[in-house]
Amino acid sequence: MNVRVKKLIGTVITIIFVTIYCLLVMQLAVRILPGSNGWIQTVFYTFFGLIWILPLMALIKWMHAEPR
């Protein structure tokens, strides 16, 4: 599979993953955060705002790998 096709597939998967991830985190925030103080909200949004990068790092490495 050439690099262009891998980048196309990776881009589509990234868009779908980030969309679903954002919807799930918003739903989780609505259930957990009402009535909590600002520090808890800051930690929650910082953690979930950064954690999505970890699963996509492997996808990005795969996208940029040269074909064998």
Side-chain angles (χ1 to χ4, degrees), residues 12-47:
V12 171
I13 291 171
T14 300
I15 291 170
I16 292 169
F17 174 79
V18 170
T19 303
I20 292 171
Y21 179 80
C22 289
L23 292 172
L24 290 174
V25 170
M26 284 188 292
Q27 185 179 27
L28 184 64
V30 168
R31 291 178 185 210
I32 292 176
L33 294 179
S36 63
N37 66 23
W39 285 108
I40 293 174
Q41 292 178 6
T42 301
V43 169
F44 178 87
Y45 287 116
T46 301
F47 176 77

Side-chain angles (χ1 to χ4, degrees), residues 50-64:
L50 294 174
I51 199 73
W52 65 272
I53 296 169
L54 295 176
L56 289 180
M57 283 178 17
L59 179 64
I60 291 170
K61 286 181 185 179
W62 174 78
M63 286 168 49
H64 292 287

